[in-house]
Amino acid sequence: MAPYKGDNVRYHLSDFGHGATRQLHEPNERIEKFNYLYSSCRNIVERTFCVWKARWSILRDMSYYNIDTQRDIVIATMAIHNYIRKKCNVDNAFQTAENEGYIPSVDFDVGTTSTASNIDGENVSEESKVHWVWLRDMIANDICNA
């Protein structure tokens, strides 16, 4: 699912005034409210994956393992990662990542492939696009009605 796009539509958190000013310029309408929440969630997910990949270097280049082994590595490292998050009072990796100026210190492009699906939808059927647009509109409406 993609955010709403357009010339007068804000998307990135910085577009809403977070950062140096520390003041939020409120989203104006349902489209901007959706984009603000979408961007906030995406930011959290990206930071989580950065910490996860920094903590478990094996995740940075798993192409040498067969697909079943890759799946098992992902499950095992996520289980241990979640255990650490639940049991440790202080998780230094996450404390560092929660800093707004955080820049990952590892090369996350190692082992990635350029044949991944295009997020703008080049490899998505028209029927699927219509479904995702409908779903995005339903979520945006629910956000405004909440």
Side-chain angles (χ1 to χ4, degrees), residues 1-139:
M1 180 182 313
Y4 290 99
K5 297 178 182 174
D7 291 338
N8 297 321
V9 178
R10 296 182 289 175
Y11 166 68
H12 296 287
L13 287 180
S14 60
D15 295 340
F16 294 96
H18 275 106
T21 65
R22 303 293 295 162
Q23 274 187 307
L24 172 66
H25 298 111
E26 290 292 327
N28 293 326
E29 55 189 53
R30 76 179 182 88
I31 289 173
E32 284 194 352
K33 287 179 181 179
F34 175 87
N35 281 358
Y36 175 74
L37 293 172
Y38 180 95
S39 184
S40 295
C41 290
R42 183 175 176 153
N43 185 282
I44 291 167
V45 169
E46 287 175 353
R47 285 179 185 232
T48 299
F49 276 100
C50 283
V51 169
W52 187 34
K53 283 181 143 184
R55 178 172 276 153
W56 307 106
S57 60
I58 193 170
L59 295 171
R60 286 184 238 136
D61 192 13
M62 293 201 314
S63 60
Y64 300 106
Y65 301 104
N66 71 48
I67 192 70
D68 292 331
T69 303
Q70 289 181 36
R71 180 201 59 226
D72 293 344
I73 291 169
V74 168
I75 291 169
T77 56
M78 187 51 72
I80 297 168
H81 172 86
N82 287 341
Y83 180 82
I84 291 169
R85 291 287 293 155
K86 285 182 181 180
K87 296 298 181 181
C88 291
N89 292 335
V90 176
D91 187 341
N92 292 333
F94 267 93
Q95 279 187 328
T96 302
E98 288 170 357
N99 176 353
E100 284 192 33
Y102 172 70
I103 299 172
S105 60
V106 293
D107 182 6
F108 292 110
D109 291 330
V110 174
T112 60
T113 175
S114 60
T115 60
S117 293
N118 185 315
I119 124 180
D120 288 330
E122 287 179 12
N123 298 327
V124 179
S125 72
E126 192 60 37
E127 182 179 313
S128 180
K129 286 181 191 178
V130 169
H131 171 75
W132 287 111
V133 168
W134 172 84
L135 184 60
R136 180 184 63 192
D137 289 342
M138 294 295 296
I139 293 170

